[in-house]
Amino acid sequence: MPINNNYIADVIQEYGDMLDLDGANPFKIRAYRQAARRIRSITRELAEMVEEGENLQQFSGIGEGIAEKIVEIVQKGKFHQLEEIKNKIPSGLLEVMSLEGLGPERVKKLYKELDIENIDDLERAINKGKIRELEGFGKKTEENIKKSIKQKEQQGNRLFYNRAEEYTQPLLEYMRKLESTNRLAVAGSYRRKKETVGDIDILATGKDSEVIMDHFVAYEDVEDIISKGDTKSSVHLRGGLQVDLRVVAEESYGAALNYFTGSQDHNIQTRHIAREKGLKLNEYGVFRESNQKSIAGETEDEVYQALGLPYIVPELRENRGEIEAARNNNLPQLIERKDLKGDLQMHSQYSDGGATIEEMAQAAQELGHEYIGITDHSQRVTIANGLDADELAKEIDEIDRINEKFDDFRIFKSVEVDILEDGSLDLPNSILKRLDLRVCCIHYKFNLPREKQMLRILRAMDNPYFNIFGHPTAREINKRPPIDVDMGKIMDAALDKGVYLELNSSPKRLDLNDIHCKMAKERGLKIVISTDAHNPSQLPNLRYGINQARRGWLESEDVLNTRSADKLLEMIKR
DNA sequence: GCCGTTTTCGGCCCGACTGTTTTCAGTCG
């Protein structure tokens, strides 16, 4: 594991969780967890900053103590306080604490009274009926813990955004059928368009909350009901996805939507602002601290206005500078789907696509595209029927023929050419130069150590026919970690050489991620948003890329394929 | 442990639901 920001955040977070089990000061625990979250959103590599002796305390949430620990993590991969606490408390307890319904107090009790150190121990104790005998526990709690274990085994990872959509849309339709519901919206990370979704938060207003709740838990896909009250109910759907429904009064709708959309970090900041202004912000509205009088709540606009801020779109609500930007009236005008004029990565039957070039072109035209790039695989990717130079030459000729039929649409002759281990490209320049543009990607040797991986990529970028670095970290969400690279250096090199980076819109890749997009924007490096579609039905996936781009603060200006075909070719020329 | 247009000390977001209890602790988001 490379010592990147995510690793550092993991270690800091683990320490916070261990402190929780140790019964430490809750605010200290929170400080570590907040620091971990903060670290994940920093767009520079902390390891590098440490090596260069830079001050880490410039980041809010990182003070003297945690800065010292980060230095130790960078140097040794761990820090001594964490090792000490691990000697005292079995780290298997963290896994137990991650179960739904089990927090630090109960886990501690299980450890002290029943010697439970991990989930296996816990399961054995449940089977012996030991849990129900503990003071403060009971039969029902024992059953719930049993369910939680099963739940964790089943669900495992967070859902891809597009899969979450498949669960959410029918449920919304079902809820709309009920006459008692008035307003209905999805909040949470789903509304913020995160690449994966842990659970679904639905917000409703309506005449009779009891009727709405009854209707909700009666949904045919509900597997079990976790809780049910007047204002909040939670269920598991078949397949394990948790859905929470909240019913609020009309006058609180905006405040509730804002509150339940989060993120938590964003909410903490907005509440701070409220307090500064002598106001109180909660899910019911904005209130004057002096007389508890409500001054806003029905719409989100109103809530932000009461805080003296312009409206902030959900995708930006991650406490990554949006509050400051809002205060300075400097929020980005985020890119929208309609800004994109074309799609620069897709496959045809020449390699592993399911449709002909003409079929892809036609479908793209119907979506309003002005151009596409056909990027079939190169020879190295044998499993995808990658093309050699002769086969690619044939494809080039065919695209020329097809292009003659169009007046106001253009197919770029392109390729998804592999970056080989030594940094050479998988096809000779003699054929690459016949193309309009080239997307260069890594499909093998993901595990090279950072130095070698960097050398490979930077060397490849030296080739004048390297235009776009496709799915740059090669990660697959929930499956394969990103390759170990210094993204800042890659971006600097890309700027220097006139290379662009791709945001791959496949819901399983979404590569670059949001933080990398913001990094690119801060450097002035433009991004290409492509689908990597393998058949026409995947062409609308562009919207997932747009979601990610918006989370990464990108504006139309920051994205290459918002340009016309001619302008694009001009810009891509090295 | 972090932070500061009241502060270097004394705060730190806050309300709902469940289960096991007879008034509340624990957990969650």
Side-chain angles (χ1 to χ4, degrees), chain A residues 318-357:
Chain A
E318 298 289 347
N319 190 28
R320 289 181 192 154
E322 74 279 7
I323 304 263
E324 206 181 358
R327 274 182 154 159
N328 300 330
N329 234 332
N330 200 17
L331 284 167
Q333 278 294 318
L334 296 181
I335 185 167
E336 294 175 28
R337 168 63 188 83
K338 66 175 168 53
D339 297 330
L340 291 182
K341 293 196 160 63
D343 185 346
L344 295 183
Q345 181 170 184
M346 69 186 66
H347 299 261
S348 77
Q349 285 172 355
Y350 269 82
S351 62
D352 61 346
T356 63
I357 297 169

Side-chain angles (χ1 to χ4, degrees), chain A residues 252 255-256 258-259 271 274 280-287 292 303:
Chain A
S252 295
N258 185 248
Y259 178 73
R271 286 195 177 192
K280 188 175 80 171
L281 170 64
N282 60 25
E283 56 264 55
Y284 298 106
V286 185
F287 302 87
Q292 300 300 310
V303 170

Side-chain angles (χ1 to χ4, degrees), chain A residues 172-384:
Chain A
L172 287 178
E173 268 170 44
Y174 166 82
M175 290 305 295
R176 280 201 192 97
K177 279 186 200 153
L178 190 70
E179 264 187 33
S180 313
T181 42
N182 185 14
R183 286 195 267 196
L184 197 63
V186 187
S189 55
Y190 185 89
R191 183 160 181 249
R192 300 201 312 279
K193 311 279 171 60
K194 273 194 80 165
E195 58 198 28
T196 60
V197 172
D199 60 14
I200 301 288
D201 295 292
I202 299 179
L203 192 67
T205 65
K207 280 196 280 288
D208 186 343
S209 78
E210 205 182 326
V211 172
I212 297 173
M213 291 304 185
D214 285 344
H215 184 69
F216 173 61
V217 300
Y219 183 53
E220 60 175 351
D221 275 351
V222 168
E223 190 171 72
D224 67 294
I225 301 166
I226 304 165
S227 67
K228 182 166 177 267
D230 283 347
T231 65
K232 184 193 165 189
S233 296
S234 297
V235 300
H236 285 129
L237 298 185
R238 257 197 290 280
L241 181 64
Q242 180 173 332
V243 184
D244 298 343
L245 174 66
R246 271 121 174 158
V247 178
V248 298
E250 298 290 342
E251 64 265 26
S252 295
Y253 180 75
L257 186 57
N258 185 248
Y259 178 73
F260 293 119
T261 296
S263 67
Q264 198 186 5
D265 284 355
H266 178 86
N267 288 353
I268 289 171
Q269 292 312 311
T270 50
R271 286 195 177 192
H272 275 308
I273 292 175
R275 286 166 61 109
E276 280 167 24
K277 291 181 174 296
L279 304 170
K280 188 175 80 171
L281 170 64
N282 60 25
E283 56 264 55
Y284 298 106
V286 185
F287 302 87
R288 262 190 230 296
E289 201 72 81
S290 51
N291 55 8
Q292 300 300 310
K293 196 170 170 295
S294 167
I295 61 165
E298 193 167 352
T299 67
E300 278 196 314
D301 255 333
E302 214 178 83
V303 170
Y304 282 110
Q305 224 171 61
L307 301 178
L309 298 173
Y311 179 77
I312 300 173
V313 299
E315 294 94 318
L316 290 180
R317 300 182 197 167
E318 298 289 347
N319 190 28
R320 289 181 192 154
E322 74 279 7
I323 304 263
E324 206 181 358
R327 274 182 154 159
N328 300 330
N329 234 332
N330 200 17
L331 284 167
Q333 278 294 318
L334 296 181
I335 185 167
E336 294 175 28
R337 168 63 188 83
K338 66 175 168 53
D339 297 330
L340 291 182
K341 293 196 160 63
D343 185 346
L344 295 183
Q345 181 170 184
M346 69 186 66
H347 299 261
S348 77
Q349 285 172 355
Y350 269 82
S351 62
D352 61 346
T356 63
I357 297 169
E358 279 193 280
E359 284 165 342
M360 294 301 280
Q362 196 188 340
Q365 263 189 306
E366 281 164 15
L367 289 177
H369 291 342
E370 294 174 16
Y371 51 82
I372 57 171
I374 292 286
T375 55
D376 279 302
H377 286 286
S378 62
Q379 53 198 3
R380 174 71 175 81
V381 194
T382 46
I383 196 161

